[in-house]
């Protein structure tokens, strides 16, 4: 199968660029099932790994999967910081909330959510936050009341105002966004043409990595590297230094017709990483990516 055929098939079947998560509650003592995967984040204390879904949040804690407390919304563009969760998406049936959400924020791990604007207007599938700053970046696919044009925008004031970014030098279809944990002006975009980095709030981008279809991006919490997931005949995961130099290849577990969709790092135990794949498998590493333990196999929690 060629890379072109693989990408086309994946986009048709699994909505390859913006994969979402549907989580079905299982009977008592049965494993939770992840029907899709739409994001991946740790809680600030590092005790819970969270996966957003069409029906609320799934969480992995103390070796077990469960549904997290809170509304069973359809979360899209899910992203975490040291103090909040951010998301877009659609409200649960019967909730009375406006559809789509625009941008929403939670201060209590997803139990309750506050509106940050653009409700009823925009559903952001590409949304990214900075772990230690208040910046939020989105890729907007159509104009709205606060964004005159489609493309990359960011806010530094919780959505009261959005600044457009020229994104000069960015090539290809955007697939994932990532923001530096400490510097609100540094943003990375994984596209169909590779990984691009901006150090001026998205005004100008330079290519940081080539090789395959860019699929996922994540800034290491130390702020020195970007983890970059791609597919070029096979799935790859590379840790790229943002100041230049050769990237380090991360050995992946065996992935059959699959690739890395999301990457997360435990803020309390920073050698611990998690990856989630397009085929709904989830893996943990406690040694910086040298080895991986599977905690969900094609949607079936372990």
């Amino acid at each position: 199968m060629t890379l072109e055929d693989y990408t086309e098939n994946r986009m048709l079947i699994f909505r390859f660029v913006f994969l979402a998560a549907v989580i079905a509650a299982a009977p008592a003592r049965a494993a939770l099932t992840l029907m899709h995967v739409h994001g991946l984040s740790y809680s600030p204390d590092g005790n819970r790994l969270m996966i957003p879904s069409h029906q609320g949040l799934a969480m992995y804690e103390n070796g077990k999967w469960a549904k997290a407390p809170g509304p069973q919304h359809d979360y899209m563009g899910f992203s975490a910081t040291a103090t909040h969760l951010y998301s877009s998406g659609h409200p649960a049936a019967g909730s009375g909330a406006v559809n789509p959400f625009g941008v929403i924020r939670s201060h209590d791990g997803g139990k309750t959510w506050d509106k940050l604007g653009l409700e009823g207007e925009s559903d952001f599938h590409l949304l990214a936050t900075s772990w230690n700053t208040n910046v939020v970046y989105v890729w907007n696919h159509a104009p709205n009341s606060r964004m005159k044009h489609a493309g990359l925008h960011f806010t530094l004031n919780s959505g009261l105002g959005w600044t457009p970014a020229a994104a000069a030098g960015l090539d290809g279809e955007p697939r994932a966004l990532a923001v530096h944990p400490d510097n609100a002006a540094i943003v990375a975009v994984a596209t169909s043409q590779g990984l691009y980095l901006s150090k001026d709030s998205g005004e100008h981008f330079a290519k940081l990595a080539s090789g395959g279809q860019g699929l996922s991006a994540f800034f290491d919490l130390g702020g020195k590297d970007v983890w970059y997931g791609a597919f070029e005949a096979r799935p790859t995961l590379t840790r790229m230094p943002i100041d230049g130099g050769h990237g380090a290849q991360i050995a992946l577990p065996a992935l059959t017709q699959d690739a890395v969709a999301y990457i997360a790092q435990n803020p309390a135990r920073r050698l611990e990483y998690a990856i989630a794949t397009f085929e709904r498998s989830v893996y943990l590493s406690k040694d910086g990516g040298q080895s991986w333990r599977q905690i969900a196999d094609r949607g079936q929690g372990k």
Side-chain angles (χ1 to χ4, degrees):
M1 177 180 289
T2 67
L3 176 58
E4 181 178 355
D5 291 337
Y6 176 88
T7 302
E8 180 178 356
N9 290 340
R10 302 291 292 145
M11 290 179 69
L12 289 173
I13 298 172
F14 300 109
R15 298 180 185 178
F16 199 59
V17 179
F18 312 118
L19 193 67
V22 177
I23 301 175
R29 298 190 179 181
L32 181 144
T33 300
L34 305 170
M35 299 306 294
H36 295 145
V37 174
H38 245 265
L40 189 68
S41 295
Y42 279 94
S43 59
D45 62 9
N47 291 333
R48 293 176 304 282
L49 183 64
M50 299 172 287
I51 291 182
S53 73
H54 287 307
Q55 297 175 338
L57 294 176
M59 64 179 183
Y60 183 79
E61 184 175 11
N62 295 324
K64 298 178 181 179
W65 286 99
K67 277 196 172 184
Q72 305 299 294
H73 295 317
D74 174 8
Y75 296 109
M76 310 289 289
F78 183 85
S79 188
T81 73
T83 55
H84 294 91
L85 300 177
Y86 290 80
S87 192
S88 191
H90 309 277
S95 69
V98 177
N99 184 31
F101 280 140
V103 180
I104 55 176
R105 180 179 63 190
S106 175
H107 66 278
D108 55 11
K111 295 177 183 178
T112 61
W113 294 87
D114 301 319
K115 296 185 291 185
L116 299 185
L118 298 173
E119 63 271 17
E121 297 186 63
S122 295
D123 174 22
F124 299 108
H125 289 207
L126 291 186
L127 182 156
T129 57
S130 167
W131 186 255
N132 291 315
T133 81
N134 65 343
V135 71
V136 180
Y137 282 82
V138 300
W139 192 278
N140 185 35
H141 288 277
N144 57 45
S145 62
R146 299 184 187 181
M147 304 175 191
K148 294 182 179 179
H149 307 285
L152 186 64
H153 293 73
F154 66 92
T155 181
L156 292 166
N157 56 11
S158 300
L160 293 176
W162 290 88
T163 302
L170 189 66
D171 189 23
E173 179 184 356
R175 300 278 177 81
L177 303 179
V179 189
H180 192 278
D182 301 303
N183 190 332
I186 300 180
V187 58
V189 183
T191 82
S192 55
Q193 298 299 314
L195 178 67
Y196 293 80
L197 183 71
S198 171
K199 295 184 178 181
D200 58 4
S201 300
E203 284 298 298
H204 304 87
F205 281 88
K207 199 168 194 178
L208 189 63
S210 302
Q213 301 269 352
L215 301 174
S216 52
F218 173 78
F219 273 94
D220 194 288
L221 294 177
K224 296 182 178 180
D225 302 296
V226 182
W227 292 55
Y228 169 58
F231 189 93
E232 185 178 27
R234 62 181 179 85
T236 60
L237 182 60
T238 308
R239 190 176 68 245
M240 296 295 305
I242 66 172
D243 290 328
H246 296 291
Q249 291 293 318
I250 304 299
L252 288 171
L255 301 178
T256 303
Q257 292 297 293
D258 204 358
V260 176
Y262 300 99
I263 308 149
Q265 183 183 14
N266 191 318
R269 297 175 291 278
R270 294 196 174 184
L271 283 178
E272 181 178 317
Y273 290 83
I275 57 173
T277 76
F278 288 98
E279 288 282 11
R280 301 163 292 132
S281 292
V282 184
Y283 299 84
L284 288 182
S285 172
K286 294 190 176 183
D287 53 14
Q290 296 182 56
S291 62
W292 299 92
R293 177 173 64 89
Q294 190 177 58
I295 60 173
D297 182 8
R298 293 183 179 264
Q300 188 65 47
K302 296 178 117 181

